[in-house]
Amino acid sequence: MAETRVIRLTEVRKTYSSGDIQFEALRGVSLEINQGEYVAVTGPSGSGKSTLMNILGCLDVATSGRYEIAGQDVSRMAEPELADIRCRWVGFVFQQFNLLASMPAWRNVELPLCYAGVGPAERKRRALAALADVGLADRVNYRPGQLSGGQQQRVTIARALVTGPALLLADEPTGNLDSTSAREILSIFDRVHHEGRTVVLITHDRDVARRADRMIEVRDGLILDRSRSSLVVAP
Ligand code: ADP
Ligand code: MG
């Protein structure tokens, strides 16, 4: 049977060290996310949301605990294997767009396909299709500086989706946007979710979080799962 729990974290801890000082940003997080689920992660600034996202996206590794993606234990993988997982499974959208200023939109979008070893003609075809999917067919040759914030964020979503990832991770994707652009971005996430992808949206904005199937709250490096805690208090 297919593995439906895409993500399983068990007692994950993350300790940052700077000099003599150690700080435990995640203090034993256990979490399961199913294939196709739309999960919002909320919590105050400094609670550990980005730390959690970096681990979920294999951009960083846990200090202890176990992390499985689609049944594979990634907690003990080294960088080349992690890079392979990121490339095949995960698309990222950040608050800062992280686009290359000197390159037109379509070149930014094709970059993940370069890492995946796709040939130039196919890369361009898929980049243009991904940009059309986010409503930017008429902006493919624009550089980031020639696009609005909302358009730049749509370019990053096209870049995140161009490899066809099962999991889309977004860390405060609407944090730098006006409300109209934010709504456009969130409706793209709704569509991505309806296509069957797993979406994990990190936000400190509870109104944004309410669009998801499930809201998870991070506090001081620990998870509070509201849907489960409400089950516990039900009569
Ligand atoms: P959030 O995204 O919820 O605002 P973060 O995950 O970025 O929180 O940070 C959680 C805590 O870990 C914060 O106190 C932050 O200062 C600390 N932290 C994050 N990254 C590092 C790092 N590279 N080195 C040391 N401390 C860090
Ligand atoms: Mg953060």
PDB file of all heavy atoms in Angstrom, residues 42-67:
ATOM      1  N   THR A  42       1.369  28.144  12.744  1.00  0.00           N
ATOM      2  CA  THR A  42       1.374  29.507  13.262  1.00  0.00           C
ATOM      3  C   THR A  42       2.191  29.563  14.550  1.00  0.00           C
ATOM      4  O   THR A  42       2.632  28.532  15.054  1.00  0.00           O
ATOM      5  CB  THR A  42      -0.050  30.008  13.589  1.00  0.00           C
ATOM      6  OG1 THR A  42      -0.541  29.266  14.703  1.00  0.00           O
ATOM      7  CG2 THR A  42      -0.992  29.858  12.437  1.00  0.00           C
ATOM      8  N   GLY A  43       2.313  30.751  15.081  1.00  0.00           N
ATOM      9  CA  GLY A  43       3.046  30.917  16.335  1.00  0.00           C
ATOM     10  C   GLY A  43       3.777  32.235  16.316  1.00  0.00           C
ATOM     11  O   GLY A  43       4.043  32.790  15.254  1.00  0.00           O
ATOM     12  N   PRO A  44       4.103  32.747  17.494  1.00  0.00           N
ATOM     13  CA  PRO A  44       4.763  34.047  17.561  1.00  0.00           C
ATOM     14  C   PRO A  44       6.173  34.006  16.990  1.00  0.00           C
ATOM     15  O   PRO A  44       6.749  32.932  16.817  1.00  0.00           O
ATOM     16  CB  PRO A  44       4.784  34.372  19.053  1.00  0.00           C
ATOM     17  CG  PRO A  44       4.507  33.099  19.759  1.00  0.00           C
ATOM     18  CD  PRO A  44       3.809  32.184  18.809  1.00  0.00           C
ATOM     19  N   SER A  45       6.701  35.180  16.713  1.00  0.00           N
ATOM     20  CA  SER A  45       8.065  35.297  16.224  1.00  0.00           C
ATOM     21  C   SER A  45       9.031  34.662  17.226  1.00  0.00           C
ATOM     22  O   SER A  45       8.882  34.844  18.430  1.00  0.00           O
ATOM     23  CB  SER A  45       8.362  36.785  16.036  1.00  0.00           C
ATOM     24  OG  SER A  45       9.655  36.939  15.556  1.00  0.00           O
ATOM     25  N   GLY A  46       9.970  33.889  16.714  1.00  0.00           N
ATOM     26  CA  GLY A  46      10.973  33.265  17.575  1.00  0.00           C
ATOM     27  C   GLY A  46      10.538  31.947  18.183  1.00  0.00           C
ATOM     28  O   GLY A  46      11.277  31.329  18.953  1.00  0.00           O
ATOM     29  N   SER A  47       9.336  31.451  17.808  1.00  0.00           N
ATOM     30  CA  SER A  47       8.845  30.226  18.441  1.00  0.00           C
ATOM     31  C   SER A  47       9.434  28.958  17.827  1.00  0.00           C
ATOM     32  O   SER A  47       9.318  27.878  18.410  1.00  0.00           O
ATOM     33  CB  SER A  47       7.310  30.182  18.357  1.00  0.00           C
ATOM     34  OG  SER A  47       6.868  30.309  17.026  1.00  0.00           O
ATOM     35  N   GLY A  48      10.051  29.084  16.642  1.00  0.00           N
ATOM     36  CA  GLY A  48      10.683  27.911  16.025  1.00  0.00           C
ATOM     37  C   GLY A  48      10.073  27.499  14.700  1.00  0.00           C
ATOM     38  O   GLY A  48      10.403  26.443  14.158  1.00  0.00           O
ATOM     39  N   LYS A  49       9.209  28.347  14.122  1.00  0.00           N
ATOM     40  CA  LYS A  49       8.523  27.993  12.874  1.00  0.00           C
ATOM     41  C   LYS A  49       9.505  27.783  11.718  1.00  0.00           C
ATOM     42  O   LYS A  49       9.411  26.805  10.993  1.00  0.00           O
ATOM     43  CB  LYS A  49       7.514  29.095  12.488  1.00  0.00           C
ATOM     44  CG  LYS A  49       6.448  29.375  13.532  1.00  0.00           C
ATOM     45  CD  LYS A  49       5.432  30.409  13.040  1.00  0.00           C
ATOM     46  CE  LYS A  49       6.028  31.769  12.713  1.00  0.00           C
ATOM     47  NZ  LYS A  49       6.640  32.445  13.880  1.00  0.00           N
ATOM     48  N   SER A  50      10.434  28.727  11.535  1.00  0.00           N
ATOM     49  CA  SER A  50      11.366  28.597  10.408  1.00  0.00           C
ATOM     50  C   SER A  50      12.332  27.442  10.632  1.00  0.00           C
ATOM     51  O   SER A  50      12.722  26.757   9.678  1.00  0.00           O
ATOM     52  CB  SER A  50      12.142  29.904  10.200  1.00  0.00           C
ATOM     53  OG  SER A  50      11.259  30.917   9.781  1.00  0.00           O
ATOM     54  N   THR A  51      12.698  27.229  11.894  1.00  0.00           N
ATOM     55  CA  THR A  51      13.549  26.080  12.212  1.00  0.00           C
ATOM     56  C   THR A  51      12.847  24.792  11.789  1.00  0.00           C
ATOM     57  O   THR A  51      13.445  23.916  11.151  1.00  0.00           O
ATOM     58  CB  THR A  51      13.848  26.056  13.729  1.00  0.00           C
ATOM     59  OG1 THR A  51      14.489  27.288  14.081  1.00  0.00           O
ATOM     60  CG2 THR A  51      14.731  24.888  14.106  1.00  0.00           C
ATOM     61  N   LEU A  52      11.550  24.709  12.100  1.00  0.00           N
ATOM     62  CA  LEU A  52      10.763  23.536  11.733  1.00  0.00           C
ATOM     63  C   LEU A  52      10.680  23.401  10.208  1.00  0.00           C
ATOM     64  O   LEU A  52      10.877  22.320   9.653  1.00  0.00           O
ATOM     65  CB  LEU A  52       9.357  23.654  12.336  1.00  0.00           C
ATOM     66  CG  LEU A  52       8.371  22.554  12.009  1.00  0.00           C
ATOM     67  CD1 LEU A  52       8.862  21.206  12.518  1.00  0.00           C
ATOM     68  CD2 LEU A  52       6.995  22.865  12.604  1.00  0.00           C
ATOM     69  N   MET A  53      10.428  24.518   9.528  1.00  0.00           N
ATOM     70  CA  MET A  53      10.336  24.468   8.069  1.00  0.00           C
ATOM     71  C   MET A  53      11.653  24.026   7.438  1.00  0.00           C
ATOM     72  O   MET A  53      11.665  23.258   6.482  1.00  0.00           O
ATOM     73  CB  MET A  53       9.931  25.843   7.534  1.00  0.00           C
ATOM     74  CG  MET A  53      10.433  26.108   6.139  1.00  0.00           C
ATOM     75  SD  MET A  53       9.190  26.740   5.024  1.00  0.00           S
ATOM     76  CE  MET A  53      10.235  27.131   3.615  1.00  0.00           C
ATOM     77  N   ASN A  54      12.775  24.521   7.983  1.00  0.00           N
ATOM     78  CA  ASN A  54      14.072  24.152   7.415  1.00  0.00           C
ATOM     79  C   ASN A  54      14.328  22.656   7.559  1.00  0.00           C
ATOM     80  O   ASN A  54      14.912  22.031   6.671  1.00  0.00           O
ATOM     81  CB  ASN A  54      15.201  24.952   8.068  1.00  0.00           C
ATOM     82  CG  ASN A  54      15.172  26.415   7.653  1.00  0.00           C
ATOM     83  OD1 ASN A  54      14.555  26.769   6.651  1.00  0.00           O
ATOM     84  ND2 ASN A  54      15.812  27.270   8.432  1.00  0.00           N
ATOM     85  N   ILE A  55      13.865  22.102   8.667  1.00  0.00           N
ATOM     86  CA  ILE A  55      14.019  20.653   8.857  1.00  0.00           C
ATOM     87  C   ILE A  55      13.066  19.904   7.923  1.00  0.00           C
ATOM     88  O   ILE A  55      13.468  18.964   7.240  1.00  0.00           O
ATOM     89  CB  ILE A  55      13.831  20.280  10.336  1.00  0.00           C
ATOM     90  CG1 ILE A  55      15.033  20.807  11.127  1.00  0.00           C
ATOM     91  CG2 ILE A  55      13.688  18.765  10.500  1.00  0.00           C
ATOM     92  CD1 ILE A  55      14.909  20.678  12.623  1.00  0.00           C
ATOM     93  N   LEU A  56      11.808  20.352   7.852  1.00  0.00           N
ATOM     94  CA  LEU A  56      10.839  19.700   6.959  1.00  0.00           C
ATOM     95  C   LEU A  56      11.340  19.687   5.512  1.00  0.00           C
ATOM     96  O   LEU A  56      11.153  18.721   4.789  1.00  0.00           O
ATOM     97  CB  LEU A  56       9.483  20.416   7.007  1.00  0.00           C
ATOM     98  CG  LEU A  56       8.667  20.279   8.289  1.00  0.00           C
ATOM     99  CD1 LEU A  56       7.400  21.127   8.204  1.00  0.00           C
ATOM    100  CD2 LEU A  56       8.305  18.821   8.556  1.00  0.00           C
ATOM    101  N   GLY A  57      11.989  20.780   5.106  1.00  0.00           N
ATOM    102  CA  GLY A  57      12.461  20.894   3.731  1.00  0.00           C
ATOM    103  C   GLY A  57      13.854  20.348   3.505  1.00  0.00           C
ATOM    104  O   GLY A  57      14.414  20.517   2.421  1.00  0.00           O
ATOM    105  N   CYS A  58      14.425  19.717   4.536  1.00  0.00           N
ATOM    106  CA  CYS A  58      15.776  19.143   4.434  1.00  0.00           C
ATOM    107  C   CYS A  58      16.831  20.196   4.107  1.00  0.00           C
ATOM    108  O   CYS A  58      17.850  19.904   3.480  1.00  0.00           O
ATOM    109  CB  CYS A  58      15.849  18.029   3.399  1.00  0.00           C
ATOM    110  SG  CYS A  58      14.773  16.655   3.764  1.00  0.00           S
ATOM    111  N   LEU A  59      16.563  21.442   4.522  1.00  0.00           N
ATOM    112  CA  LEU A  59      17.582  22.487   4.399  1.00  0.00           C
ATOM    113  C   LEU A  59      18.507  22.435   5.612  1.00  0.00           C
ATOM    114  O   LEU A  59      19.603  22.979   5.603  1.00  0.00           O
ATOM    115  CB  LEU A  59      16.929  23.871   4.313  1.00  0.00           C
ATOM    116  CG  LEU A  59      16.106  24.123   3.057  1.00  0.00           C
ATOM    117  CD1 LEU A  59      15.248  25.376   3.214  1.00  0.00           C
ATOM    118  CD2 LEU A  59      17.024  24.264   1.839  1.00  0.00           C
ATOM    119  N   ASP A  60      18.037  21.812   6.675  1.00  0.00           N
ATOM    120  CA  ASP A  60      18.822  21.657   7.895  1.00  0.00           C
ATOM    121  C   ASP A  60      18.438  20.303   8.501  1.00  0.00           C
ATOM    122  O   ASP A  60      17.401  19.743   8.144  1.00  0.00           O
ATOM    123  CB  ASP A  60      18.490  22.807   8.863  1.00  0.00           C
ATOM    124  CG  ASP A  60      19.592  23.035   9.883  1.00  0.00           C
ATOM    125  OD1 ASP A  60      20.559  22.235   9.922  1.00  0.00           O
ATOM    126  OD2 ASP A  60      19.484  24.004  10.655  1.00  0.00           O
ATOM    127  N   VAL A  61      19.282  19.808   9.388  1.00  0.00           N
ATOM    128  CA  VAL A  61      18.965  18.516  10.012  1.00  0.00           C
ATOM    129  C   VAL A  61      18.721  18.700  11.506  1.00  0.00           C
ATOM    130  O   VAL A  61      19.269  19.606  12.133  1.00  0.00           O
ATOM    131  CB  VAL A  61      20.088  17.468   9.788  1.00  0.00           C
ATOM    132  CG1 VAL A  61      20.094  16.984   8.357  1.00  0.00           C
ATOM    133  CG2 VAL A  61      21.435  18.013  10.202  1.00  0.00           C
ATOM    134  N   ALA A  62      17.895  17.816  12.048  1.00  0.00           N
ATOM    135  CA  ALA A  62      17.590  17.856  13.477  1.00  0.00           C
ATOM    136  C   ALA A  62      18.831  17.469  14.281  1.00  0.00           C
ATOM    137  O   ALA A  62      19.684  16.725  13.807  1.00  0.00           O
ATOM    138  CB  ALA A  62      16.448  16.902  13.774  1.00  0.00           C
ATOM    139  N   THR A  63      18.905  17.978  15.509  1.00  0.00           N
ATOM    140  CA  THR A  63      19.980  17.579  16.414  1.00  0.00           C
ATOM    141  C   THR A  63      19.709  16.161  16.931  1.00  0.00           C
ATOM    142  O   THR A  63      20.629  15.358  17.064  1.00  0.00           O
ATOM    143  CB  THR A  63      20.073  18.575  17.591  1.00  0.00           C
ATOM    144  OG1 THR A  63      20.112  19.905  17.057  1.00  0.00           O
ATOM    145  CG2 THR A  63      21.325  18.333  18.420  1.00  0.00           C
ATOM    146  N   SER A  64      18.446  15.873  17.216  1.00  0.00           N
ATOM    147  CA  SER A  64      18.067  14.503  17.566  1.00  0.00           C
ATOM    148  C   SER A  64      16.624  14.268  17.164  1.00  0.00           C
ATOM    149  O   SER A  64      15.902  15.216  16.834  1.00  0.00           O
ATOM    150  CB  SER A  64      18.269  14.248  19.059  1.00  0.00           C
ATOM    151  OG  SER A  64      17.328  14.996  19.798  1.00  0.00           O
ATOM    152  N   GLY A  65      16.211  13.007  17.212  1.00  0.00           N
ATOM    153  CA  GLY A  65      14.861  12.652  16.781  1.00  0.00           C
ATOM    154  C   GLY A  65      14.898  12.084  15.377  1.00  0.00           C
ATOM    155  O   GLY A  65      15.968  11.958  14.779  1.00  0.00           O
ATOM    156  N   ARG A  66      13.714  11.737  14.876  1.00  0.00           N
ATOM    157  CA  ARG A  66      13.630  11.052  13.597  1.00  0.00           C
ATOM    158  C   ARG A  66      12.730  11.818  12.650  1.00  0.00           C
ATOM    159  O   ARG A  66      11.711  12.366  13.059  1.00  0.00           O
ATOM    160  CB  ARG A  66      13.043   9.662  13.868  1.00  0.00           C
ATOM    161  CG  ARG A  66      13.133   8.694  12.735  1.00  0.00           C
ATOM    162  CD  ARG A  66      12.568   7.348  13.202  1.00  0.00           C
ATOM    163  NE  ARG A  66      12.262   6.502  12.081  1.00  0.00           N
ATOM    164  CZ  ARG A  66      13.139   5.667  11.504  1.00  0.00           C
ATOM    165  NH1 ARG A  66      14.359   5.550  11.977  1.00  0.00           N
ATOM    166  NH2 ARG A  66      12.778   4.941  10.462  1.00  0.00           N
ATOM    167  N   TYR A  67      13.105  11.853  11.385  1.00  0.00           N
ATOM    168  CA  TYR A  67      12.286  12.508  10.378  1.00  0.00           C
ATOM    169  C   TYR A  67      12.182  11.598   9.158  1.00  0.00           C
ATOM    170  O   TYR A  67      13.189  11.236   8.576  1.00  0.00           O
ATOM    171  CB  TYR A  67      12.896  13.862   9.984  1.00  0.00           C
ATOM    172  CG  TYR A  67      12.135  14.586   8.892  1.00  0.00           C
ATOM    173  CD1 TYR A  67      10.772  14.370   8.692  1.00  0.00           C
ATOM    174  CD2 TYR A  67      12.768  15.500   8.060  1.00  0.00           C
ATOM    175  CE1 TYR A  67      10.079  15.020   7.685  1.00  0.00           C
ATOM    176  CE2 TYR A  67      12.078  16.162   7.049  1.00  0.00           C
ATOM    177  CZ  TYR A  67      10.739  15.916   6.871  1.00  0.00           C
ATOM    178  OH  TYR A  67      10.051  16.557   5.874  1.00  0.00           O
TER     179      TYR A  67
END
